């Protein structure tokens, strides 16, 4: 792995960019009120748990917390 780990490999940089773009799409859909399960399925995640792990790693909150932050009363 060396000093820079796996981050210097080109396939990881491209994968990271694509993952961030996908999670940005997910965040917009959650903000619009879509259910977490529907967003995960529509964007091709293996399951809701996998989606939640990746979303939390990027946004530092769960999809449920993100969605709740956009509810209007």
């Amino acid at each position: 792995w060396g000093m820079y780990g796996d981050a210097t490999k080109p396939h990881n940089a491209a994968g990271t960019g694509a993952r961030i773009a996908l999670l940005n799409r997910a965040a917009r859909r959650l903000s619009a009120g879509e259910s977490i399960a529907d967003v995960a399925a529509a964007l091709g995640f293996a399951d809701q748990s996998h989606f939640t792990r990746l979303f939390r790693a990027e946004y530092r909150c769960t999809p449920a917390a993100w969605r709740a932050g956009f509810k209007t009363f």
Side-chain angles (χ1 to χ4, degrees):
W1 290 68
M3 184 167 70
Y4 297 104
D6 207 32
T8 59
K9 294 184 180 175
H11 69 275
N12 286 339
T16 299
R19 183 176 61 247
I20 290 170
L22 190 63
L23 291 171
N24 286 339
R25 287 176 53 201
R28 284 192 301 274
R29 292 175 83 145
L30 290 168
S31 299
E34 282 190 58
S35 76
I36 298 165
D38 287 347
V39 171
L43 296 179
F45 288 92
D47 54 43
Q48 189 172 331
S49 176
H50 181 233
F51 168 62
T52 297
R53 280 193 307 276
L54 291 177
F55 192 93
R56 186 184 309 136
E58 181 64 26
Y59 288 97
R60 304 291 188 232
C61 69
T62 65
W66 181 273
R67 191 168 172 256
F70 286 94
K71 288 187 178 177
T72 57
F73 296 95

